[in-house]
Each structure stands twice: as C-alpha cells, then as structure tokens.
Amino acid sequence: MLWFGFGFILLVMAYSSIDIARALQQTSSRNDALMTSFRKRDHILDELRNTMIRSGTMIRDYLSEDEDLWADRDRLDLQAARQETEQLLESYAEERHSTGSAGEETFLNLRNGVEAYWNSFAPTLRWDSETRRREGDAYRERSIGPLRIEVFRLSRQITAFNNQQLDEGEALVKNEQQRLRLRLIASSLVELLIAVILTLAVTSRIRGLEDAVEGQYVKMVQARSELRDLTARLENAREDERKSLSRELHDEVGQSMAAMLVELGRVESTLSGGEEARTRLSSLRVQAEQSVRSLRDIALLLRPSMLDDLGLVPALKWQGRETARRTGLHVRVEAEESNDMLPDTYKTCIYRVVQEALHNAVKHSKAKSIRVSFQQTPSGMELEVEDDGIGFDPGTEKGLGLLGMEERIVRLGGELKVIAKAERGTLLSVHLPPVKRKGFQ
C-alpha cells in the first residue's frame, strides 16, 4: 500500500508538471501570436492611413496640374495608391481574428468607405487640363474632402477595435492563466491529500509496529527476568547441594575414614606378625591418608566450610594459597578483615567470581603472578583480579566463564569490566552496590 501510495503521488506530480508545462507553453504561444498579429494589423492600418494621406496630396496635385504630362504621372501614382490600399485591406482581412458581427460590420464599413473614396474621383482621371482648372476646386470641396474625413474616422474606429481585440486577447490569456493556477492548486491539493493519507497510514503502521515491538520487548524482558530468576534458583540449589555434599563428605565420610586410620594405627602398633604383614598394613594406612586428603580437597572445592563459618576474606585467602600450592604461581590476596557479615548471596558471588578468574588465569593466561584485591567502601564493594599473562580480546574471546561471572554480578545489580591487552595481562574489575539491610535507610 505504501509503495502504491508513493508511486501514485509521483505519477500525479509528474502528470501535473507535464500538464502545467504544456499549458504554460500554449499560453505563451497564444500570447506571442496575439501580440504578433496585433503588431501586423496596427502596421497595416498605419500604412493605410499614410496611403490615404498621400492620395489626398496626389489628387490635389493632379487637379491643379496644367501640363498633361505631369497630370498623367499623377494619375498613375493615384492608381498605384489605390491598388496599395486594396492590398492593405486584403492583408488586414487575413490577419484579423473572428470578432463577431460588430467587428465584421466595422471592417466592411471601412472597406466600403475606402472604395467610395476612390470611386469619388475616378471620373476626374479622364478630365483634360481645361476641365481640371474649371471644375477641380469645386470638386475637391464638394466630394473629396468629406470622403477623406470619413476614411480617417473609419481608420480611427478600426484602430480602436484593434485595441479592443488586443484587450480581449489579453483577457483570454489571463483567463487561461487563472485556469492554470486553479489546476495547479487542485493538483497540489490532491497531492497534499494523498500525502496526508499516506502519513496517517505510515503513522498508524509505525504505531502498530511500535506496539508490537514494545509487546515483544516486554515479553523478552519478562522472559529474561524469569530466566534470571530460574538461573538464580538453580545457582542457589547448586550451592545448597554443594554445601550439603561438602558437609556430608567432611562430616560423615571424612570422620569414618579418620576413624579407620585410627584403627589402622592401633592394629599396626599391636601387630606382632611378620615384616611383610606390617609393610602391607603401613601401605594401606598411607593410601587411606591420601584418600582422606583427597576427600578433604574435594569437599573444600565444592564449598569451603570456612566461607560459612569464618567469612569471605579467610575463604579468599585460603583459595589463593591453594591455587599457589597447586600451580606454583605467586598469588597475592589483598583484603581487609571485616566484622561486617555479608549475605550469603554476596559471599557466594564474590567467591565464585574469584574462583573462576583464578581458574581462567591458570588455564589460559600463562601468568607468573596474580593479584586479588577486595575492599568494602560506603559506595559498595570493589573486587579486582589482575594477572601478568598474555591477555586476550574481550570483544571476540568472551567464553562461558566470563558470561557466568557477568550473570552472577548483574543479578546483584553490579558491574563487570574486563581490561585486557595482548602481552600486557588482564584486569577483571567488579563493582557491587552496598548491601541493603532491614531496619536501616
């Protein structure tokens, strides 16, 4: 619909432009033709008036001429002037427009007046010199003068009519221009109407899309919130399971194996048999001790009991020592002892982030030393884990470990920043908001 609407607007604009250009060209051509015809007709009338004036001078000279030779010359000039007036009238008849009955009557009166004027002195052209001297003055006063006056009156009348034709032509041009303006206004209104309809349609469509997108966004936010809640519940369930399994391994299995070690020691001390039996029993006791240590390490990796019993800082320091013991790296933990007991969610989040950061540094960074810094401020908690390894590009090499850390931190309203450069190590910075405690504002 939008393509059709815009295409229709373009077609209307193109048609309007072509139509207006054609109408302007026609109006301009019509105006040029009108002015050209007016100039030609005005020139013909000027020539006709001049010829009539010259003919009056010619007839006067002819009637006052005594010599027949000169009279014959004047007679030929009068005949040529008459032919010229007839040609001028024919030319005017060809140039004039259809002017109605009034214009036709005026032109016929002019033609008849000119014809009567020339016929009035046609008999004098056959007079001899004696007759011209005797009858010439009386004839001029009686016949020729009034006819010339009538011709000039008709000439002025046809000039006025010619000006009237020009005014009518200009009025036609103005009417054409007015119609052109009306057509332009009408086409503009049509284009505006279509544009308004398209604007309303586009606006309605955009609003519909915005509502749909907003609805999808709300659903996505809700789904993401639900997913985060589910993830949080899964993490809590996993931590509870780790805590339960760790305590079970430490309290039940560990104590049972410790009791077994005690009994093995008693049996070994009271054994009076051969050396071979004593050697086997000693080997069995060593294996049992190794199993107890492995069991203790597994329990601590699942969830160190000191995180719940002693707090976050001792757990972080123990984790640093264990990492240094297992890998040989230099791990420095900078954390101030604090009596402020954090909620379990905060302790677990910080502990797991440090655990994952140390694991990534040991596995991927090829670092020689690692620094862990944790401090509490009025504005929140600040955690940094920095190594001197090979670094990486966080934009293209973001693994599941970083995603898991970010998810834990964002769930508590915190912020995670990773600053890493090739061959210049990695800095992981975490900011967590202050803990909101009940009963305090």
Side-chain angles (χ1 to χ4, degrees):
M1 291 178 62
L2 292 178
W3 277 109
F4 175 77
F6 284 118
F8 186 71
I9 284 182
L10 292 176
L11 288 176
V12 171
M13 293 175 64
Y15 174 77
S16 300
S17 301
I18 295 174
D19 185 59
I20 291 171
R22 184 175 63 251
L24 285 173
Q25 184 178 5
Q26 292 177 353
T27 303
S28 178
S29 300
R30 190 175 302 168
N31 188 41
D32 293 341
L34 180 65
M35 294 303 298
T36 301
S37 177
F38 171 77
R39 293 189 186 97
K40 288 183 179 180
R41 287 184 277 114
D42 190 62
H43 177 71
I44 291 172
L45 289 176
D46 288 339
E47 291 292 329
L48 181 62
R49 280 191 294 268
N50 293 332
T51 304
M52 298 299 294
I53 293 173
R54 286 189 291 109
S55 67
T57 302
M58 291 176 187
I59 192 64
R60 183 193 61 193
D61 294 340
Y62 170 73
L63 292 176
S64 61
E65 187 62 56
D66 293 334
E67 297 292 333
D68 290 337
L69 180 62
W70 293 104
D72 292 339
R73 187 193 60 183
D74 293 336
R75 186 183 299 111
L76 293 175
D77 290 340
L78 285 170
Q79 290 176 353
R82 181 172 184 175
Q83 292 178 356
E84 184 178 353
T85 55
E86 291 177 353
Q87 292 176 356
L88 289 173
L89 288 173
E90 292 295 330
S91 298
Y92 186 85
E94 293 175 357
E95 289 294 333
R96 66 191 179 92
H97 298 284
S98 178
T99 56
S101 58
E104 291 292 335
E105 184 179 357
T106 303
F107 179 71
L108 289 176
N109 290 335
L110 177 63
R111 181 186 288 274
N112 293 332
V114 171
E115 188 69 21
Y117 170 75
W118 287 108
N119 291 333
S120 65
F121 55 80
T124 63
L125 297 179
R126 295 188 295 270
W127 289 355
D128 54 15
S129 57
E130 182 64 26
T131 306
R132 287 197 301 275
R133 286 194 297 272
R134 186 178 63 250
E135 302 290 340
D137 293 337
Y139 187 83
R140 284 199 305 272
E141 294 176 0
R142 183 179 66 252
S143 300
I144 297 177
L147 289 175
R148 287 187 63 191
I149 293 173
E150 179 65 18
V151 168
F152 289 143
R153 187 187 68 79
L154 292 174
S155 176
R156 287 192 297 271
Q157 183 178 356
I158 201 66
T159 300
F161 181 73
N162 194 32
N163 292 330
Q164 181 183 357
Q165 277 191 312
L166 178 63
D167 295 338
E168 291 177 355
E170 290 178 348
L172 290 175
V173 172
K174 289 180 180 180
N175 291 334
E176 187 67 24
Q177 291 177 348
Q178 182 66 22
R179 287 195 297 270
L180 184 61
R181 282 193 293 270
L182 293 177
R183 288 164 63 182
L184 179 60
I185 292 173
S187 63
S188 300
L189 290 176
V190 171
E191 294 170 7
L192 179 61
L193 179 61
I194 297 175
V196 169
I197 294 174
L198 278 178
T199 302
L200 293 176
V202 171
T203 303
S204 176
R205 179 61 175 168
I206 290 176
R207 286 181 178 176
L209 292 175
E210 287 178 349
D211 293 339
V213 170
E214 185 176 359
Q216 292 296 328
Y217 177 75
V218 170
K219 292 180 180 179
M220 183 185 68
V221 171
Q222 184 178 1
R224 187 172 182 179
S225 177
E226 293 175 354
L227 182 60
R228 283 185 175 177
D229 293 340
L230 178 59
T231 305
R233 289 196 295 270
L234 290 175
E235 289 289 342
N236 293 332
R238 186 169 64 174
E239 290 295 332
D240 292 340
E241 187 67 23
R242 284 180 173 181
K243 183 189 299 184
S244 176
L245 184 58
S246 176
R247 290 190 180 277
E248 188 73 22
L249 290 174
H250 183 272
D251 296 340
E252 299 295 333
V253 181
Q255 291 181 4
S256 297
M257 294 190 71
M260 182 182 67
L261 282 174
V262 173
E263 291 298 327
L264 285 175
R266 290 177 180 177
V267 171
E268 185 180 3
S269 62
T270 59
L271 184 65
S272 59
E275 187 65 26
E276 182 179 356
R278 187 183 296 275
T279 301
R280 289 182 179 180
L281 187 61
S282 178
S283 176
L284 180 61
R285 184 173 57 81
V286 171
Q287 292 180 3
E289 289 176 352
Q290 290 177 353
S291 298
V292 169
R293 285 195 297 269
S294 299
L295 185 63
R296 184 194 63 179
D297 292 340
I298 293 173
L300 290 175
L301 287 174
L302 285 173
R303 183 177 177 91
S305 58
M306 66 181 67
L307 183 63
D308 301 314
D309 300 334
L310 301 179
L312 175 63
V313 174
L316 292 179
K317 291 183 177 181
W318 172 84
Q319 191 177 62
R321 289 193 301 269
E322 285 296 310
T323 302
R325 181 182 63 83
R326 287 186 290 103
T327 62
L329 298 178
H330 176 68
V331 181
R332 186 173 77 256
V333 179
E334 301 173 355
E336 297 179 357
E337 297 289 345
S338 175
N339 295 325
D340 186 13
M341 300 301 292
L342 296 175
D344 188 63
T345 54
Y346 278 74
K347 291 191 297 183
T348 302
C349 174
I350 296 171
Y351 181 83
R352 293 303 181 191
V353 167
V354 173
Q355 186 182 42
E356 184 65 30
L358 291 175
H359 174 74
N360 289 340
V362 170
K363 185 177 181 181
H364 304 291
S365 70
K366 300 179 181 179
K368 296 180 180 180
S369 63
I370 304 173
R371 181 182 65 87
V372 179
S373 173
F374 174 74
Q375 60 180 346
Q376 298 187 56
T377 64
S379 61
M381 283 156 279
E382 305 293 337
L383 172 67
E384 290 185 352
V385 180
E386 184 178 10
D387 64 63
D388 58 355
I390 60 176
F392 70 103
D393 184 4
T396 60
E397 301 178 21
K398 197 171 186 179
L400 293 177
L402 281 176
L403 292 175
M405 287 189 285
E406 186 175 10
E407 185 65 27
R408 287 178 180 272
I409 294 166
V410 171
R411 194 182 306 135
L412 296 179
E415 183 182 5
L416 171 66
K417 292 182 180 178
V418 180
I419 302 173
K421 293 183 179 179
E423 305 299 333
R424 296 183 61 181
T426 303
L427 172 63
L428 185 144
S429 176
V430 177
H431 171 77
L432 292 175
V435 180
K436 295 182 181 179
R437 301 187 181 278
K438 297 181 180 180
F440 294 91
Q441 299 294 332

